[in-house]
């Protein structure tokens, strides 16, 4: 028969990591740190990107510009 080359030995550290990833919701706890990170990634970062996008909307026009032309619209 010979060796079965398609089988690989499972690394115990990777098995534990995979179990932790699959069961993370069971052990999640709201702490000040997780609350702050959730707020920052759900509300703060999109708000900052939105304000920057809204304030610069229509400010530059890069279409059909040649060397020496001004890209500012106002």
């Amino acid at each position: 028969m010979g060796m079965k080359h398609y089988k690989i030995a499972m690394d115990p550290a990777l098995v534990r990591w995979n179990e932790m990833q699959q069961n993370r919701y069971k052990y999640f706890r709201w702490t000040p740190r997780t609350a702050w990170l959730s707020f920052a990634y759900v509300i703060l970062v999109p708000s900052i990107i939105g304000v920057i996008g809204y304030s610069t909307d229509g400010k530059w026009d890069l279409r059909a510009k040649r060397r020496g032309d001004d890209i500012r619209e106002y």
Side-chain angles (χ1 to χ4, degrees):
M1 286 295 243
M3 292 180 56
K4 296 180 180 178
H5 294 289
Y6 58 86
K7 297 224 180 212
I8 53 175
M10 295 300 290
D11 184 6
L14 287 176
V15 172
R16 282 194 310 271
W17 181 78
N18 187 31
E19 290 293 323
M20 181 192 66
Q21 292 293 349
Q22 290 177 351
N23 297 319
R24 185 180 294 267
Y25 70 96
K26 295 178 185 176
Y27 304 107
F28 179 78
R29 187 173 301 183
W30 282 106
T31 62
R33 181 176 187 264
T34 57
W36 168 247
L37 287 174
S38 298
F39 171 76
Y41 286 119
V42 172
I43 296 174
L44 190 63
V45 172
S47 299
I48 291 172
I49 292 173
V51 166
I52 292 171
Y54 185 76
S55 66
T56 60
D57 186 34
K59 197 169 196 176
W60 298 291
D61 185 18
L62 300 176
R63 185 176 291 177
K65 297 294 181 181
R66 295 189 175 142
R67 186 181 303 157
D69 288 346
D70 197 12
I71 63 171
R72 289 178 287 156
E73 288 297 313
Y74 57 91

